[in-house]
Amino acid sequence: MTHGTVSEPGGGAAPGAGALLAILRDGQARTRAELAQLTGLARSTVSQRLDVLIDHKWIVPSRDTVSSGGRPATAFAFNRGARIVLSADLGATHARLAVTDLGMAVLAERAAELPIERGPEPTLSWLVTAFEEMLAEAGYPLSQVCGVGLGLPGPVEHVTGRPVNPPIMPGWDAFPVPEWLGARLAAPVLVDNDVNIMALGEHWIASPEVDHLLFVKIGTGIGCGVIADRRLHRGAQGAAGDVGHIRVGTAGDALCRCGNTGCLEAVASGAAMAARLREAGIDAAGSRDVVRLIRGGSAQAAQVIRQAGRDIGGVLAAIVNFFNPSVIVVGGDIAEAGEHVLAGVREAIYSRSLPLATQHLTIRASELGDRAGVIGAAVMVVEHVLAPGTVDQAVTLAAH
């Protein structure tokens, strides 16, 4: 049996088993004849590729059969339950975990208060224990896990999965997160910053048809995930979208946690808003308190959050002119305040961006809310594990 990518008569590399799986991942069952027509491969080659995918349980015969007058032909469909994924979104003070299938259906979920400042080993040890408990509750063995996705609230070098000088994560700088977790969970581990995985989750579930999308997280800090041509844009080192440290005029000499002054985050983050309310004699420790005050009808909280929205919108207006997205999604704790923050963001963007750039622009709150991160972390793993090249490599190794 032939595995992987081979050369077909007539030259050129033929699509391997991974390419057939990529076609079937859209959820539509297809017959051998349909796949041969789509790929240009010989029926015998398609059958070989399908046999490999069936052996690895990536696909299953579908209940749907296709008849053209003779004997019904068997159709094959993507097996979303072939493997499971572990995902986690760690914030400054809390964590959300999920066990999903390959179609992003959540099989188990957990949320907990978890201060990231506890350091890497205590935090990740808690994560391993929680994942083991969730797998046991859901009835899945660790051997069925194909990968682990993790979002962290700080800069991450995506190639290595290591945090780089994260301002609110003492002890995490350069910590080998993928190696440490991978050794304990016996699966590949992918790590990214939290806003990137939120952008992935929101795009996958709520706006899959959108080519260019920005996801802006407003919480303890401010960050932005960039979807360009339906792919996450990380930049050269993984630092793309770090809008929280762009200098803004309204910030003056306000000191930012990064060590600079005048950053957007220093005046418009949840932490900055809470500090401003405390100065006015109102009890507010962080982002969630700001939202609580808004929901309680506090006029001062509404004023503070509206101005923060304007400050954020001012920075986004420049990005809209430069990048021209069709959707801006606002997420994070502060997005729970609803129209107060969105109104400020919209006001600044529409007054400062070019009419052509905003002609069809949608600015909305996250549809996934605090689940965007765990879904996005799972998407990151699935896109890696099911990439045609990765599938071809896996089935080739298994054959030897």
Side-chain angles (χ1 to χ4, degrees):
M1 184 179 291
T2 305
H3 297 275
T5 301
V6 297
S7 294
E8 287 286 295
L20 291 189
L21 182 60
I23 293 170
L24 292 171
R25 280 182 63 197
D26 67 1
Q28 182 181 336
R30 293 179 176 87
T31 63
R32 289 180 174 86
E34 287 172 325
L35 289 167
Q37 189 175 6
L38 281 169
T39 60
L41 295 173
R43 284 280 293 272
S44 58
T45 305
V46 168
S47 291
Q48 288 177 334
R49 303 281 193 270
L50 290 176
D51 287 344
V52 169
L53 294 175
I54 291 168
D55 287 346
H56 288 265
K57 298 183 171 61
W58 292 119
I59 64 171
V60 288
S62 171
R63 293 174 188 164
D64 301 327
T65 54
V66 180
S67 176
S68 56
R71 193 173 69 179
T74 302
F76 297 91
F78 175 48
N79 180 16
R80 294 162 53 125
R83 309 283 193 282
I84 57 171
V85 177
L86 303 178
S87 63
D89 176 19
L90 302 186
T93 58
H94 55 277
R96 182 172 287 273
L97 287 64
V99 177
T100 75
D101 68 12
L102 297 175
M104 253 47 73
V106 176
L107 308 171
E109 197 170 10
R110 182 178 293 191
E113 295 299 315
L114 185 72
I116 200 76
E117 62 186 18
R118 287 174 57 181
E121 294 202 15
T123 302
L124 296 175
S125 294
W126 178 89
L127 202 62
V128 170
T129 302
F131 276 142
E132 289 172 345
E133 290 171 358
M134 291 167 72
L135 284 170
E137 289 164 14
Y140 291 96
L142 191 58
S143 59
Q144 205 171 339
V145 174
C146 67
V148 183
L150 177 63
L152 295 175
V156 173
E157 186 179 48
H158 183 67
V159 175
T160 63
R162 298 187 177 197
V164 180
N165 295 318
I168 62 167
M169 300 171 63
W172 286 81
D173 185 33
F175 188 82
V177 178
E179 294 84 352
W180 197 96
L181 267 183
R184 288 155 180 81
L185 292 171
V189 178
L190 299 180
V191 186
D192 207 335
N193 74 63
D194 54 357
V195 72
N196 276 351
I197 63 171
M198 287 176 172
L200 278 175
E202 190 75 24
H203 183 256
W204 180 279
I205 299 294
S207 299
E209 77 291 345
V210 172
D211 291 335
H212 307 291
L213 176 147
L214 297 178
F215 186 101
V216 184
K217 180 194 177 189
I218 314 170
T220 304
I222 298 173
C224 182
V226 182
I227 301 290
D229 286 327
R230 302 194 186 191
R231 297 175 66 86
L232 180 64
H233 175 74
R234 294 186 173 95
Q237 257 66 52
D242 199 356
V243 299
H245 302 289
I246 293 174
R247 186 173 179 83
V248 292
T250 54
D253 292 325
L255 183 64
C256 181
R257 60 183 180 172
C258 72
N260 286 328
T261 58
C263 294
L264 174 66
E265 204 168 277
V267 291
S269 66
M273 284 185 251
R276 193 163 303 165
L277 289 168
R278 286 197 300 275
E279 288 168 9
I282 298 171
D283 183 24
S287 303
R288 293 179 177 182
D289 290 326
V290 176
V291 174
R292 174 181 54 78
L293 288 163
I294 285 285
R295 289 176 173 169
S298 167
Q300 281 177 292
Q303 191 177 355
V304 166
I305 204 168
R306 180 82 176 236
Q307 182 56 45
R310 291 190 193 102
D311 291 334
I312 293 164
V315 168
L316 292 178
I319 296 170
V320 166
N321 285 333
F322 176 78
F323 177 60
N324 190 202
S326 54
V327 176
I328 294 177
V329 180
V330 179
D333 286 345
I334 295 298
E336 300 294 320
E339 282 303 314
H340 289 283
V341 68
L342 287 174
V345 169
R346 288 189 181 112
E347 182 184 325
I349 288 177
Y350 287 121
S351 65
R352 299 185 197 181
S353 299
L354 295 171
L356 181 60
T358 57
Q359 190 175 5
H360 301 293
L361 177 64
T362 298
I363 302 169
R364 63 169 177 81
S366 167
E367 290 185 20
L368 294 184
D370 56 10
R371 297 180 87 193
V374 286
I375 297 297
V379 170
M380 175 170 65
V381 171
V382 170
E383 289 295 276
H384 170 74
V385 170
L386 297 187
T390 310
V391 172
D392 288 344
Q393 187 176 21
V395 299
T396 302
L397 287 171
H400 294 294

